[in-house]
Each structure stands twice: as C-alpha cells, then as structure tokens.
Amino acid sequence: ALPEINAPERWLCFPSFQLMAAMGNGAAKAKYEQKVPAFYYRPTHSDCKMLREQWIRAKYERNEFEFIEKQEPYSAGYREGFLWKRGRDNGQFLSRKFVLSEREGALKYFNKQDARDPKAVMKIETLNATFQPAKIGNPCGLQITYLKDNSTRNIFVYHSDAKEMVDWFNAIRAARFHYLQVAFPGASDEELVPKLTRNFMKEGFMEKTGPKHTEGFKKRWFTMDDRRLMYFKDPLDAYARGEVFIGSKENSYTVLSGLPPTTQGHHWNHGITIVTPDRKFLFACETEAEQRDWIAAFQRVINRPMRPQEYAVEAHFKHKP
C-alpha cells in the first residue's frame, strides 16, 4: 500500500522519496511539480484515498509533471475507452465505451461497441464529475452529472485501474478548462479552476412532504449541488424526483429550524423549513447533528448573493411543470 499524503516518513521506501528527503521540501516540489497543468486536480486531505495516492504516484513514480508527454492521457483534448457504468433500471454495472471530445464539446457513451449513435451526449458546458467511492461501492467510483432538458442526470462509473479513472477525471477537467477559457476570455486561471468540477455541498437522507403539507412525509436521498437541492428515491438513481432552487436572502429565501406547529406525518423530529418566494418546503432530519449540518449548508448558499446567470436558472425553476 502507498503512504498517506500526510505521512512523509513512510515515503522513504521509494527512491524518489529518498531523493526528496535529501533535497528538502521546497526543491522537491520545484522538481516533481514543475509542470502541473492548471486544470489538474491537486487533492486535499478531505479527498478519497485513491485520489491522494494517485497524486503521489503521478509525481514520484511516473514523473508526470516533469515530462509533458506523460500528460497526454488527459491533455490531448480527446480520450476514449471503456468504463463500467451502472445500468439505470437494473443497477448492474456493464462495460460501456466512452468518448470525450473537446472539438465536439461533449462526453458520449455507447451501449454497443460498434454502435454508430451514442446512448447519451453530455455537453462539456454542464458536465461535472466527483469521486464517490462509498456511495458507488468502489474505490474508483466516479459520479458524472450533466443537465438534460435543464434537469440533472447522474451517471455512475468506475474502472479497476485507479490511474485510468484519475486520467478520465482530469481529462474532463481539462475539457471544462478549455471550454471556459473560450467562454470567458478575460478570466484568469485562478478564476476558472474552481469552476472545473465541484464536490456536492452535502448529501444524505431527509424526509419531505408535498406542496400542500398534508401529504405524508417520505424518506428521500438529498443532494445539495450549489443552488440546486435535488431529491432521489435512492442515492444511485439516474434522475432526481424533484429539484428545488435555493436563492439568496436578498431574494426572500430563508431557512428556519423546525416545522410549522400544525405539521403532521413526519417520523423524524428535527425539522427544517425553507421559505422561497413561491412556497415553503418542509424537511425532517433523523438527528439534531444532521439538522444542524443541513441548515449550515442552506445558510451558506442563502447568504451568498446571486450571480447574473443564477437568475436565469431561478426563472427556469419557476416555470417547471
């Protein structure tokens, strides 16, 4: 097993780590990280183990950031290969061909090896990818999301080779980076890099009721993706049962602890009320800690002023059937 990122004393079993110890941290960083592309994801301690391990291997075993040609798998603007993809209806993982093309501005996958037409075309413009090993049940599990008819669609994939999976992840980030450079020509790398991929702000089970607040509460899996709060029957569902837009306090969005006093039918006792300009959304959490975490996540978004493009998203939500 490879060492953890925060355990440098165990790195010494690798020759390059011995060299690093002799050189000192600053000089080693200058050598092993000299050509890290701006889009390449640099893991932090909160990222999954596989991502942290592959970052170490990329630097010290494969020397990917000393020799540009070694970055071809994720820098070329085109990538194709096979990934295990979870079936939408039966939950089985089957091998599917994926093609990422910056020129076409899309990631596609094909159900059959010789198929001419793709099963899905995911525009780079709305693409996101985030590692979800626990949820998917595989150390290399990646959740890919994109917008289809302005609703979020999930695809769950993995590959048995960790490097292969990280290369796909960084190829998606590279494609997003080059797309955003064209879309926002004046923006700096520092402004664009945080927009390449994002982890969800929070996920977990809550209970919810319908718009009349007289329907029974149902347990649902919730995902908070920036201002989109989505709910699913199952964490690995392809489509959300519904989506709620969370705006800002300036636009009359608020989050309250607890439920209106007349509320009935919830099994969990730790309520949350989200007030929007149109209606109130009622949720119940199993524990006080979960309630606290969800309220903090909602509050972070509500406290942030809305960007111009988010008003267009909000307007779309208002017109959803």
Side-chain angles (χ1 to χ4, degrees):
L2 266 176
E4 293 287 332
I5 258 184
N6 58 359
E9 69 280 357
R10 285 185 290 161
W11 292 358
L12 296 173
C13 54
F14 290 89
S16 52
F17 297 156
Q18 291 164 9
L19 178 62
M20 192 180 89
M23 290 168 76
N25 240 348
K29 202 175 163 103
K31 173 178 163 59
Y32 292 109
E33 296 182 28
Q34 59 184 286
K35 293 173 184 166
V36 181
F39 62 78
Y40 195 94
Y41 187 75
R42 297 167 178 255
T44 68
H45 64 90
S46 60
D47 283 302
C48 66
K49 186 170 179 243
M50 182 276 295
L51 204 46
R52 300 194 316 264
E53 284 186 355
Q54 286 304 310
W55 168 239
I56 292 174
R57 285 192 187 275
K59 288 194 288 186
Y60 305 120
E61 268 189 8
R62 300 193 290 264
N63 304 101
E64 281 179 31
F65 311 122
E66 293 175 73
F67 307 102
I68 297 261
E69 63 273 15
K70 294 193 174 188
Q71 299 172 15
E72 176 120 359
Y74 43 83
S75 292
Y78 181 88
R79 182 178 173 85
E80 66 172 68
F82 287 85
L83 297 171
W84 293 97
K85 179 197 164 287
R86 187 179 192 272
R88 188 182 76 189
D89 301 320
N90 61 10
Q92 270 188 313
F93 280 88
L94 297 168
S95 180
R96 294 287 179 255
K97 183 183 176 183
F98 281 77
V99 175
L100 175 69
S101 168
E102 287 188 18
R103 191 174 52 79
E104 293 179 36
L107 172 66
K108 301 181 285 190
Y109 81 86
F110 300 80
N111 265 357
K112 294 192 171 64
Q113 204 167 336
D114 54 355
R116 286 182 54 196
D117 297 322
K119 178 72 175 157
V121 178
M122 304 161 242
K123 286 185 178 168
I124 285 169
E125 180 186 357
T126 68
L127 206 55
N128 185 40
T130 175
F131 280 101
Q132 295 270 27
K135 189 161 141 185
I136 295 170
N138 185 285
C140 299
L142 187 73
Q143 179 173 350
I144 296 170
T145 64
Y146 65 101
L147 291 183
K148 184 180 177 184
D149 304 325
N150 251 315
S151 290
T152 304
R153 164 87 158 95
N154 294 323
I155 285 184
F156 301 96
V157 296
Y158 73 86
H159 195 287
S160 55
D161 182 328
K163 179 190 184 298
E164 187 80 7
M165 208 63 252
V166 173
D167 285 351
W168 269 107
F169 178 60
N170 280 301
I172 289 170
R173 286 178 62 87
R176 293 262 311 142
F177 185 57
H178 298 138
Y179 163 80
L180 290 170
Q181 281 180 317
V182 174
F184 304 99
S188 67
D189 290 359
E190 288 72 25
E191 290 172 288
L192 296 181
V193 166
K195 295 182 169 72
L196 302 187
T197 54
R198 62 195 179 275
N199 295 329
F200 300 134
M201 293 180 74
K202 180 154 175 61
E203 290 194 287
F205 283 107
M206 288 194 289
E207 291 182 331
K208 69 167 285 294
T209 187
K212 296 193 184 81
H213 301 168
T214 53
E215 307 91 329
F217 276 73
K218 292 191 172 88
K219 182 180 168 184
R220 293 288 179 255
W221 177 264
F222 283 81
T223 297
M224 180 89 173
D225 185 9
D226 200 35
R227 291 198 186 273
R228 283 177 185 263
L229 176 67
M230 298 167 278
Y231 55 91
F232 305 83
K233 199 167 182 184
D234 182 272
L236 296 175
D237 281 350
Y239 293 100
R241 288 294 175 100
E243 302 190 28
V244 180
F245 181 84
I246 311 289
S248 66
K249 59 186 177 190
E250 291 87 352
N251 298 80
S252 307
Y253 288 83
T254 51
V255 58
L256 306 168
S257 177
L259 298 170
T262 54
T263 312
Q264 294 178 325
H266 50 97
H267 307 95
W268 291 347
N269 296 323
H270 306 279
I272 298 174
T273 301
I274 291 184
V275 183
T276 78
D278 297 330
R279 59 168 276 204
K280 289 179 179 175
F281 291 90
L282 309 185
F283 308 113
C285 302
E286 189 173 15
T287 67
E288 198 177 332
E290 274 290 286
Q291 178 199 38
R292 214 169 33 240
D293 288 351
W294 275 111
I295 288 174
F298 293 138
Q299 204 64 65
R300 272 204 307 279
V301 171
I302 286 170
N303 286 345
R304 197 177 71 219
M306 275 165 63
R307 299 192 301 270
Q309 57 267 44
E310 291 173 332
Y311 283 96
V313 177
E314 181 190 39
H316 170 78
F317 269 79
K318 286 185 189 299
H319 296 114
K320 264 193 172 181

